[in-house]
Amino acid sequence: MSETQRGVLFGIGAYTLWGLTPLFWILLQPATAIEILAHRIVWALVFVVLILAVLRQWAWLRSLTPRKLWLLALAAIVVTVNWGTYIYAVTSGHVIEGALGYFINPLVSVLFGVLLLRERLTVAQWIAVGLGAVAVTVLAIDYGRLPWFALVLAFSFGTYGLIKKHVNTGAAQSLAVESALLAVPAAGFLVFLRVTEADSFGDAGPYHLPLLAAAGLITLLPMLLFTGAATRVPLSSLGVMQYIAPSMQFLLGITVFAEEMPLSRWVGFVIVWAALSLFTWDALRRARREAAARRPAPV
């Protein structure tokens, strides 16, 4: 198996695991979303430290400058908002709206590039962003409110990606710092719940704690797979694969969670998919053009 083929498998594995997460978060009930989030933070730290200890990867700690720590602290806050929002969306019956957030995330990232990094968009990208805005408007009319879950997920994940763009730290190392910064308040909250008997252990059964602990693995494993893919396959290929996760979440929302999809909501999603198709086509076209430009001219 070539490195590229291995990278494709890693990427598919990462996005498939992310796509299946609604099935996992629902298993953790009767725990509330904030209790699940606290366990996710604490156990993610436990597992990532174990992996770094086994691999003996500690040299990177010397490269942590105050600026990097500040950026990682900011990333930790943003990713906590993202994690907590998605867990709450799933456990409160908004799986489809959560999937919408990850569908429109690429368009938000492009918008950030224009507003914050002064990047120039192609005509196709501008049309895609415009279609995304139309889709949000249509869905807001359908829901009778702005699709808050989707917008918070899209903008928080886009912000997280923007911050990580400026921090040259591996996935496991970054997660270690981020979860370490959050672990003390998260653990304190869990202790408070236990002392006040407000946690979910009363009648949740013997498998409840192992499942909550598995939230750490569910967090870490796809990130490691994604890192393995990012170093082996072109970004254009990853850009196409990223739609695996929200597509699976969308299908789970319709089938397993039996959420409503009236015609007006379908219209909004179709507009989103049209925008993403245009966006992906333009990205692949530009990637092929750049590859051709780098190819040496025939002698």
Side-chain angles (χ1 to χ4, degrees):
M1 184 182 295
S2 69
E3 284 299 297
T4 301
Q5 290 172 325
R6 187 175 286 112
V8 169
L9 289 179
F10 286 159
I12 292 173
Y15 286 114
T16 299
L17 285 174
W18 277 322
L20 292 172
T21 52
L23 298 176
F24 179 75
W25 301 130
I26 210 70
L27 285 177
L28 303 183
Q29 291 181 324
T32 62
I34 192 168
E35 183 182 355
I36 295 170
L37 175 62
H39 275 283
R40 182 178 189 178
I41 292 168
V42 170
W43 291 108
L45 176 61
V46 171
F47 284 112
V48 75
V49 168
L50 283 174
I51 287 177
L52 291 173
V54 170
L55 298 176
R56 297 182 180 180
Q57 292 186 2
W58 302 111
W60 60 275
L61 287 169
R62 290 193 293 270
S63 69
L64 287 178
T65 62
R67 179 179 179 274
K68 277 191 176 182
L69 280 172
W70 165 249
L71 288 172
L72 287 172
L74 188 59
I77 294 170
V78 173
V79 81
T80 299
V81 171
N82 182 270
W83 288 354
T85 301
Y86 188 70
I87 293 169
Y88 184 72
V90 170
T91 55
S92 62
H94 295 88
V95 175
I96 291 176
E97 191 177 341
L100 173 65
Y102 291 111
F103 274 127
I104 65 176
N105 171 248
L107 303 179
V108 169
S109 296
V110 167
L111 193 59
F112 279 177
V114 173
L115 298 178
L116 302 176
L117 303 178
R118 297 183 179 180
E119 295 177 353
R120 291 186 177 182
L121 298 191
T122 65
V123 173
Q125 287 175 326
W126 274 118
I127 294 173
V129 171
L131 286 173
V134 171
V136 169
T137 303
V138 170
L139 290 166
I141 295 170
D142 171 74
Y143 283 116
R145 58 172 175 82
L146 282 172
W148 288 114
F149 288 116
L151 292 175
V152 171
L153 288 170
F155 278 89
S156 61
F157 199 70
T159 303
Y160 183 68
L162 187 65
I163 296 169
K164 297 298 285 289
K165 190 181 180 72
H166 298 282
V167 183
N168 187 21
T169 307
Q173 293 84 349
S174 174
L175 181 62
V177 176
E178 291 164 19
S179 52
L181 292 169
L182 298 167
V184 172
F189 177 71
L190 292 176
V191 170
F192 170 76
L193 290 182
R194 185 81 290 270
V195 170
T196 58
E197 297 184 354
D199 55 22
S200 56
F201 293 112
D203 50 8
Y207 301 108
H208 190 57
L209 181 57
L211 281 173
L212 286 169
L217 279 179
I218 292 297
T219 300
L220 179 60
L221 186 56
M223 289 184 70
L224 294 178
L225 288 171
F226 175 79
T227 301
T231 58
R232 291 173 172 85
V233 299
L235 285 177
S236 57
S237 299
L238 278 179
V240 174
M241 284 191 282
Q242 72 179 318
Y243 302 124
I244 293 174
S247 297
M248 292 179 66
Q249 293 162 4
F250 177 79
L251 291 173
L252 286 173
I254 292 177
T255 57
V256 177
F257 294 91
E259 293 184 11
E260 291 184 6
M261 274 295 290
L263 179 60
S264 53
R265 204 163 299 171
W266 277 109
V267 170
F269 269 86
V270 167
I271 296 173
V272 169
W273 293 329
L276 292 176
S277 298
L278 180 61
F279 176 81
T280 305
W281 168 79
D282 182 66
L284 292 174
R285 179 177 61 86
R286 285 186 294 114
R288 283 195 297 268
R289 210 179 263 173
E290 291 170 5
R294 288 193 300 267
R295 199 174 298 134
V299 179

